[in-house]
Amino acid sequence: MKEEYCDASETIKQSGLARTPQRMAVLEALILAIHPLSAADILALTAEKTKINRVTVYRILASFRDRGIIREIETGHANSSYEMACAHNPVHPHFRCRDCGRIICLPPLTLSQAWDWLAQPADFTVERIDVQLIGLCAECIKKDNGNTVASDNF
Amino acid sequence: MKEEYCDASETIKQSGLARTPQRMAVLEALILAIHPLSAADILALTAEKTKINRVTVYRILASFRDRGIIREIETGHANSSYEMACAHNPVHPHFRCRDCGRIICLPPLTLSQAWDWLAQPADFTVERIDVQLIGLCAECIKKDNGNTVASDNF
DNA sequence: ATCATAAATGCAACAAACTTGCAAACAATT
DNA sequence: AATTGTTTGCAAGTTTGTTGCATTTATGAT
């Protein structure tokens, strides 16, 4: 999905946040990621490079999200993923596997259609559209044949 | 969104599940609801009519969902809502307020467009599309003027 | 109608994801 | 280098949902 990369140092500087090793590690992980990362993913990746606490990861993610540096993809059942929100990674829908929870980025082809009809006046503001396609990914289709009960998978 | 109502007793009978007072109370609450209900909402509503336990609500909701009687709307941060999945309440997108978490049903106007481009072949199966519009509802626009920080609201 | 059996419920304990309070450590500016 | 406000780590807490097991209840057969 991404063809170019942001500069982590520059991004943090422009945000007004302090350039700490922990924030650098989190942002670099997200910049290099080819798919959205959960907080647990990020903790695992950053812990290799820096001393970092689980709580710190949550706080850094919240601070980045609040400044529009990253997008939070809410995947249900308290397990959000995060991706860069820079010019190199425009808003796009995601596919989520109901079985393994995997998040796959989809091309941003049809969102313009959705925005069109949102141009109609309404008494609420729409800041974001989450288009989530939920089903089974290739691996899980192979893995379970006729024995999957939706309730048991989360 | 709903113009007619299902019969709770009949629905349970056809599902093969036992017709317990707890299941009747949960289903009746969902049938009469004008917007999706959380497990907590349902516990509060049903506790007025029947002796019912928190765990029982979760189990009843799972059993209904697995049989296609209701739909689960995953709203992020571990707080699902539920709505009837009967003929009177076809699949439709939802609006969710980022501030108060309120879920509002939207008309099912554009889902056909989304299904269209999904007809293209892919190596995963799409069982469901969640279209979530996230922003601020009328009440919350009034309530907070320029002082809302996204991170503090969940 | 009663009984037997499988299903459903309640309770207590558990689990995962995330949050809060506060003291210690650190980054950025002077 | 000192200061000051930000950031981090740790421990404890909260919320939402789940599991195990004993008790109760619905249902179908007698």
Side-chain angles (χ1 to χ4, degrees):
Chain A
M1 189 119 294
K2 274 177 293 171
E3 278 102 29
E4 297 178 55
Y5 299 96
C6 285
D7 181 58
S9 197
E10 187 60 25
T11 301
I12 290 176
K13 183 159 287 175
Q14 289 185 0
S15 73
L17 295 166
R19 188 180 162 288
T20 65
Q22 290 84 355
R23 282 212 254 253
M24 284 294 289
V26 169
L27 192 51
E28 279 164 0
L30 286 163
I31 286 172
L32 294 176
I34 56 172
H35 58 83
L37 301 177
S38 68
D41 292 338
I42 291 169
L43 179 61
L45 288 167
T46 55
E48 295 169 1
K49 303 183 177 177
T50 305
K51 184 204 179 217
I52 188 166
N53 185 271
R54 208 169 58 89
V55 176
T56 302
V57 172
Y58 284 119
R59 287 200 272 230
I60 288 175
L61 289 171
S63 70
F64 286 171
R65 180 198 52 197
D66 293 348
R67 272 150 242 257
I69 296 170
I70 64 176
R71 277 187 293 271
E72 179 176 8
I73 302 153
E74 296 178 328
T75 58
H77 297 264
N79 200 341
S80 289
S81 291
Y82 300 86
E83 65 182 7
M84 292 301 296
C86 61
H88 308 124
N89 196 34
V91 175
H92 53 269
H94 296 93
F95 169 82
R96 169 163 124 253
C97 177
R98 144 167 85 69
D99 196 38
C100 66
R102 188 181 317 230
I103 307 284
I104 297 169
C105 298
L106 297 175
L109 293 178
T110 53
L111 283 182
S112 56
Q113 301 176 340
W115 283 112
D116 281 346
W117 77 271
L118 284 171
Q120 300 169 43
D123 64 349
F124 48 79
T125 61
V126 175
E127 299 170 338
R128 190 167 100 238
I129 309 176
D130 276 358
V131 178
Q132 292 192 344
L133 313 182
I134 298 168
L136 283 175
C137 70
E139 278 89 338
C140 293
I141 289 170
K142 268 180 279 177
K143 180 150 51 73
D144 52 46
N145 277 325
N147 54 10
T148 303
V149 177
S151 64
D152 300 323
N153 297 319
F154 260 111
Chain B
M1 186 119 294
K2 273 176 294 167
E3 280 101 28
E4 297 178 57
Y5 299 96
C6 286
D7 180 58
S9 197
E10 186 61 24
T11 302
I12 291 176
K13 183 159 287 178
Q14 290 186 359
S15 73
L17 295 166
R19 187 180 162 288
T20 65
Q22 290 84 355
R23 283 213 252 255
M24 284 295 287
V26 169
L27 192 50
E28 279 165 359
L30 285 163
I31 286 173
L32 294 176
I34 56 173
H35 58 81
L37 302 177
S38 68
D41 292 337
I42 290 167
L43 179 60
L45 287 168
T46 53
E48 295 170 1
K49 302 184 179 176
T50 304
K51 183 201 179 221
I52 189 166
N53 185 270
R54 207 170 61 88
V55 176
T56 302
V57 171
Y58 284 117
R59 288 200 272 230
I60 287 174
L61 289 171
S63 71
F64 285 171
R65 180 198 54 200
D66 293 348
R67 271 150 242 259
I69 296 170
I70 62 176
R71 277 187 294 271
E72 179 176 8
I73 301 152
E74 295 177 330
T75 59
H77 296 264
N79 199 340
S80 288
S81 291
Y82 300 86
E83 64 182 9
M84 292 303 294
C86 60
H88 308 125
N89 197 33
V91 174
H92 52 268
H94 296 93
F95 169 82
R96 168 162 123 253
C97 178
R98 147 168 83 70
D99 197 35
C100 65
R102 188 181 316 230
I103 308 283
I104 297 169
C105 299
L106 297 175
L109 293 177
T110 52
L111 283 182
S112 57
Q113 299 175 342
W115 283 112
D116 279 345
W117 77 270
L118 284 171
Q120 299 168 45
D123 64 350
F124 48 79
T125 61
V126 176
E127 299 168 341
R128 191 166 99 239
I129 308 175
D130 276 359
V131 178
Q132 292 191 345
L133 314 183
I134 297 167
L136 283 176
C137 69
E139 278 89 339
C140 293
I141 289 171
K142 269 180 279 176
K143 180 148 52 74
D144 52 45
N145 279 325
N147 53 11
T148 302
V149 176
S151 64
D152 300 323
N153 298 321
F154 257 110

